[in-house]
């Protein structure tokens, strides 16, 4: 990673962006060399300018303070805001700026729905005054729910229709028909199907006009829109981004009725989704979706599996998902619309996707992650849960153990076993140094013993993880997958360990270069983000000194060179555990951190 890319990815405006988006921004920006003493009128600047080298000073009109801007700072026209400073800015030394033209940067965000959502939420947190369109966009807090099946005739249109009606009771809802053929939501609701919206759009005005011309009302709270049904050409996935920007200013819920006819369109729908309902005809067939989910989903999407009881009549219970009962409609009985509202199982599905999620983000750290155990114990004992726990490195191991263990005693036992010095040392499975020094056998055995075949998306509270791809260091957020893979990969340090294969690629913890950030979740429909960090005045280590010296010294050097990323300053709440512990004694660490958490989390537990 070059210095410009690192700076761009670290500033609050772009901290939520993934690696691909940062790469696109790098191509969009233009470097400009500014000579010492050169001045600008802030009022006349029509670009966003990021300082990448040098230093500037701002003398804003009406203010007595002089503000100095170092690398990583920015000034100028911030898209979707009405804030414009007046005054002058001057280069103190020869400096370099990366300039982003306002119109081009605005267009970039309009063509990336999740990136736009994260950007607007970030600038809101920074105190900028938003434009009217941006305020409408955030005011609805829109959730995008995709109803999908890889099986023909599984009943996605029925489920999307029933869910749309149910969500309409909670807020303004729209269903988008994303399937080229088969049944249409228009037919189910006895509406004349409109022509598909199948052309590419690059601005919200075009999208608004097309959407308004094709909307069909089902009732006062539910509309339907045809995107792909009957289209003679493939629908470009990019079409969704400006459409969703327009819809998000009106609708609380957007439901996508999606088939498996077009892989590119399917993946585009998954990318913009907050929740995905994978409909299957039998419980055992959900495993067919696993490889696709693990390779494609990168935006912390929540996946739920739904069994259609029409096909699987004997299903009484279904771990990790829901059962949708048969829709009972006939010419002599209730209409399809009436039957859909009474379909068993829909209430539970609606409750899962309508919730404004609360997320707990644990700072990326190494042995200090042991202190996270006390936080989780405190929350458990006070019956306080979060919809999402997001972490990386050893923090994820602790989080996963907490989610997997049935009670506090089980968690304490597994936690103490993981941080027991001899067991930890056994994870360092030495091999001949051909590409790496350690195999993954030791940690894999532990992960298999503790996790079994559990999938993280099938847990009630989702333990999401940030990993790094060993080949190129690209960050990847996993919200689906086998828990054993995520635990093992979170321990593995590249390049001294071989990576863990997940969905055909190899992954490692990526720590300390790759760190979780509160802003990562600004791309999602998460309502509240709480960031927990640890400040330890001492360098914690194992007390008996039996940890392999090579590994201990390597990690010590690695951690000293690591540059902290976000400190969670844009999170809704930030909590810091201030500790002074040198020896990692699991039982003592658990007790100390739980006592601290009991005091610090009191206001959170009462919400």
């Amino acid at each position: 990673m070059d210095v410009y890319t690192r700076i761009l990815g670290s500033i609050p405006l772009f901290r939520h962006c993934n690696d691909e988006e940062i790469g696109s921004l790098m191509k969009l920006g233009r470097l400009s060399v500014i000579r010492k003493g050169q001045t600008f009128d802030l009022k006349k600047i029509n670009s966003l300018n990021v300082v990448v080298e040098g230093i500037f000073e701002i003398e804003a009109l009406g203010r007595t303070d002089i503000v100095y801007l170092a690398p990583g700072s920015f000034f100028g026209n911030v898209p979707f805001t009405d804030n414009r400073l007046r005054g002058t800015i001057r280069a103190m030394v020869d400096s370099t700026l990366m300039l982003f033209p306002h119109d081009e940067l605005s267009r970039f965000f309009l063509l990336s729905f999740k990136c736009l959502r994260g950007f607007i939420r970030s600038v809101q947190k920074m105190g900028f005054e938003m434009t009217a369109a941006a305020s409408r966009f955030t005011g609805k807090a829109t959730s995008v729910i995709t109803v999908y099946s890889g099986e023909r005739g599984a009943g996605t249109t029925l489920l999307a229709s029933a869910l749309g009606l149910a969500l309409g009771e909670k807020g303004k809802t729209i269903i988008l028909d994303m399937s080229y053929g088969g049944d249409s939501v228009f037919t189910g609701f006895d509406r004349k199907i409109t022509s598909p919206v199948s052309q590419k759009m690059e601005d919200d005005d075009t999208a608004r006009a097309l959407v308004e011309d094709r909307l069909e009302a089902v009732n006062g709270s539910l509309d339907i829109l045809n995107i792909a049904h009957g289209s003679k050409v493939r629908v470009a996935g990019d079409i969704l981004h400006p459409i969703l920007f327009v819809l998000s200013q009106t609708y609380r819920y957007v439901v996508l009725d999606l088939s498996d006819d077009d892989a590119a369109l399917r993946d585009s729908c998954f990318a913009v989704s907050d929740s995905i309902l994978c409909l299957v005809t039998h419980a055992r067939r959900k495993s067919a979706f696993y490889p696709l989910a693990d390779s494609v989903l990168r935006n912390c999407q929540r996946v739920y599996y739904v069994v259609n009881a029409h096909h699987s009549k004997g299903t009484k219970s279904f771990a990790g998902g829901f059962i949708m009962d048969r829709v009972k409609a006939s010419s002599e009985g209730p209409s399809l619309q009436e039957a859909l509202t009474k379909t068993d199982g829909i209430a539970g599905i609606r409750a899962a996707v309508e919730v404004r999620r609360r997320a707990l983000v644990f700072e990326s750290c190494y042995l200090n992650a042991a202190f996270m155990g006390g936080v989780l114990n405190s929350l458990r004992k006070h019956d306080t849960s979060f919809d999402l726990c997001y972490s990386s490195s050893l923090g994820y191991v602790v989080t996963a153990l907490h989610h997997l263990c049935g009670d506090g005693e089980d968690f304490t036992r597994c936690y103490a076993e993981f941080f027991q010095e001899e067991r930890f040392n056994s994870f360092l499975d030495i091999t001949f140094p051909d590409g790496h020094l350690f195999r993954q056998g030791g940690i894999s055995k532990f992960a298999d013993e503790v996790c079994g075949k559990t999938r993280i998306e099938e847990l009630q509270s989702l333990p999401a993880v940030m990993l790094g791809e060993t080949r190129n260091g690209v960050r990847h957020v996993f919200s689906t997958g086998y828990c054993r893979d995520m635990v093992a990969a979170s321990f593995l340090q590249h390049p001294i360990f071989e990576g863990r294969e997940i969905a055909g690629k190899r992954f490692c913890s990526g720590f300390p270069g790759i760190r979780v950030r509160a802003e990562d979740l600004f791309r999602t429909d998460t309502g509240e983000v709480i960031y927990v960090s640890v400040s330890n005045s001492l360098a914690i280590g194992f007390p008996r000194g039996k940890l392999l010296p090579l590994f201990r010294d390597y990690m010590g050097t690695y951690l000293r060179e690591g540059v902290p990323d976000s400190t969670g300053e844009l999170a809704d709440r930030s909590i810091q555990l201030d500790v002074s512990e040198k020896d990692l004694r699991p039982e003592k660490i658990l007790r100390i951190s739980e006592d601290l958490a009991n005091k610090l989390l009191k206001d959170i537990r009462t919400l």
Side-chain angles (χ1 to χ4, degrees):
M1 180 184 295
D2 63 70
V3 64
Y4 295 160
T5 302
R6 180 180 59 78
I7 289 176
L8 200 61
S10 68
I11 67 173
L13 292 178
F14 303 132
R15 203 178 283 152
H16 68 282
C17 295
N18 60 36
D19 293 326
E20 183 180 356
E21 290 160 351
I22 291 294
S24 297
L25 284 169
M26 285 292 296
K27 295 176 182 177
L28 182 64
R30 177 173 59 87
L31 292 176
S32 178
V33 176
I34 310 299
R35 298 303 179 191
K36 178 182 177 180
Q38 188 172 344
T39 61
F40 305 92
D41 185 343
L42 286 171
K43 186 179 179 181
K44 296 180 180 179
I45 295 176
N46 197 36
S47 62
L48 178 68
N49 308 284
V50 176
V51 181
V52 292
E53 290 179 348
I55 189 167
F56 292 80
E57 70 171 9
I58 294 180
E59 295 180 357
L61 293 180
R63 297 184 180 182
T64 57
D65 296 335
I66 296 178
V67 179
Y68 294 95
L69 304 180
S73 304
F74 62 90
F75 62 91
N77 197 343
V78 179
F80 308 105
T81 71
D82 285 330
N83 294 67
R84 294 301 299 270
L85 289 175
R86 295 185 179 184
T88 59
I89 183 166
R90 182 168 66 95
M92 303 293 291
V93 296
D94 289 347
S95 306
T96 304
L97 295 175
M98 184 173 288
L99 280 62
F100 297 92
H102 179 266
D103 291 343
E104 293 182 28
L105 188 57
S106 298
R107 189 178 300 111
F108 167 82
F109 285 116
L110 287 172
L111 293 177
S112 180
F113 176 70
K114 288 292 183 78
C115 195
L116 172 65
R117 180 194 271 171
F119 178 81
I120 290 181
R121 190 167 177 182
S122 295
V123 295
Q124 271 189 314
K125 292 286 186 182
M126 296 170 67
F128 285 89
E129 183 179 346
M130 311 306 297
T131 62
S135 296
R136 289 194 299 270
F137 176 82
T138 56
K140 294 296 179 183
T142 302
S143 292
V144 181
I145 304 112
T146 290
V147 179
Y148 163 82
S149 179
E151 305 176 61
R152 290 192 178 277
T156 57
T157 299
L158 280 174
L159 177 54
S161 301
L163 182 62
L165 286 167
L167 289 172
E169 298 175 358
K170 293 291 185 177
K172 189 74 171 173
T173 303
I174 187 169
I175 304 174
L176 308 188
D177 193 334
M178 305 298 302
S179 301
Y180 291 110
D183 295 332
S184 171
V185 291
F186 284 80
T187 303
F189 288 122
D190 195 24
R191 298 294 188 274
K192 181 180 179 180
I193 192 166
T194 57
S195 58
V197 180
S198 54
Q199 67 186 78
K200 187 174 181 179
M201 294 170 288
E202 295 190 355
D203 59 73
D204 60 312
D205 291 335
T206 304
R208 192 180 304 279
L210 286 172
V211 166
E212 292 176 350
D213 287 345
R214 289 170 170 79
L215 280 178
E216 285 289 323
V218 173
N219 55 43
S221 60
L222 176 63
D223 295 331
I224 50 180
L225 177 66
N226 182 24
I227 301 295
H229 200 89
S231 177
K232 304 301 181 184
V233 298
R234 293 291 185 184
V235 176
D238 290 347
I239 198 174
L240 285 170
H241 300 283
I243 286 178
L244 286 174
F245 176 69
V246 171
L247 296 179
S248 294
Q249 297 176 46
T250 303
Y251 296 93
R252 175 67 180 87
Y253 303 102
V254 178
V255 180
L256 310 183
D257 177 16
L258 177 67
S259 67
D260 203 40
D261 298 327
D262 183 343
L265 180 61
R266 175 201 66 201
D267 293 351
S268 295
C269 290
F270 287 169
V272 299
S273 299
D274 297 302
S275 301
I276 298 171
L277 300 174
C278 181
L279 191 62
V280 295
T281 56
H282 195 282
R284 64 174 173 267
R285 294 184 179 174
K286 64 181 179 179
S287 60
F289 184 61
Y290 294 166
L292 176 63
D294 298 349
S295 61
V296 172
L297 305 185
R298 299 189 180 188
N299 283 309
C300 220
Q301 297 93 331
R302 186 67 205 253
V303 171
Y304 301 98
Y305 298 99
V306 182
V307 170
N308 188 342
H310 175 77
H311 299 285
S312 186
K313 300 179 178 62
T315 303
K316 300 298 182 182
S317 61
F318 180 39
F322 303 92
I323 299 173
M324 182 182 75
D325 204 357
R326 301 179 67 182
V327 177
K328 302 171 183 177
S330 66
S331 57
E332 298 179 356
S335 67
L336 176 61
Q337 187 168 333
E338 292 173 327
L340 287 172
T341 60
K342 299 177 181 179
T343 301
D344 291 341
I346 294 300
I349 297 172
R350 183 186 74 177
V353 300
E354 74 180 6
V355 66
R356 290 289 290 158
R357 307 185 204 283
R358 297 178 73 205
L360 195 65
V361 180
F362 284 128
E363 171 197 34
S364 296
C365 53
Y366 201 61
L367 293 182
N368 275 338
F371 292 98
M372 304 301 184
V375 176
L376 293 166
N377 260 358
S378 175
L379 293 172
R380 183 198 292 272
K381 290 181 179 178
H382 290 86
D383 198 26
T384 302
S385 62
F386 286 80
D387 304 288
L388 170 67
C389 288
Y390 177 48
S391 52
S392 72
S393 190
L394 299 192
Y396 184 76
V397 178
V398 175
T399 301
L401 294 180
H402 175 264
H403 280 70
L404 287 164
C405 294
D407 55 43
E409 290 184 3
D410 281 347
F411 170 65
T412 301
R413 176 181 55 79
C414 291
Y415 166 94
E417 181 181 357
F418 177 77
F419 284 112
Q420 196 266 340
E421 189 169 0
E422 285 76 9
R423 185 63 189 265
F424 199 96
N425 215 23
S426 74
F427 299 152
L428 308 179
D429 190 1
I430 299 175
T431 184
F432 186 77
D434 181 14
H436 49 263
L437 293 174
F438 302 106
R439 292 182 289 261
Q440 58 171 288
I443 186 62
S444 293
K445 181 180 179 181
F446 174 82
D448 288 341
E449 291 172 355
V450 175
C451 304
K453 296 182 179 180
T454 302
R455 300 272 302 180
I456 61 175
E457 71 267 28
E458 296 176 6
L459 295 168
Q460 184 173 1
S461 175
L462 176 65
V465 60
M466 171 75 79
L467 297 175
E469 190 177 341
T470 59
R471 180 177 60 88
N472 52 21
V474 170
R475 297 173 295 163
H476 191 125
V477 178
F478 282 94
S479 58
T480 68
Y482 288 102
C483 192
R484 63 194 179 199
D485 291 336
M486 307 305 157
V487 167
S490 295
F491 181 87
L492 303 174
Q493 298 288 332
H494 182 73
I496 60 173
F497 276 93
E498 62 179 332
R500 179 82 168 192
E501 184 171 334
I502 305 173
K505 298 179 180 179
R506 290 198 172 272
F507 291 90
C508 62
S509 77
F511 181 80
I514 295 176
R515 297 169 180 258
V516 298
R517 298 167 293 199
E519 294 88 348
D520 294 336
L521 301 185
F522 290 0
R523 305 166 62 87
T524 72
D525 63 346
T526 304
E528 183 181 28
V529 178
I530 298 172
Y531 186 85
V532 181
S533 60
V534 177
S535 176
N536 193 356
S537 59
L538 302 173
I540 193 169
F542 289 101
R544 299 174 65 185
K546 289 189 175 182
L547 192 65
L548 187 69
L550 170 67
F551 180 75
R552 181 195 62 213
D553 295 343
Y554 175 85
M555 287 306 302
T557 302
Y558 206 11
L559 293 173
R560 285 193 295 272
E561 293 179 352
V563 179
D565 203 340
S566 168
T567 58
E569 69 268 18
L570 294 187
D572 295 287
R573 297 173 185 233
S574 292
I575 296 170
Q576 182 171 284
L577 303 179
D578 292 312
V579 296
S580 297
E581 292 296 322
K582 182 178 181 180
D583 294 336
L584 204 173
R585 301 182 186 275
E587 293 81 3
K588 181 181 179 181
I589 295 294
L590 204 58
R591 184 177 65 256
I592 291 172
S593 55
E594 186 175 337
D595 289 342
L596 279 172
N598 285 335
K599 300 173 184 177
L600 296 172
L601 299 178
K602 183 178 180 180
D603 57 337
I604 293 175
R605 293 195 300 265
T606 58
L607 292 179

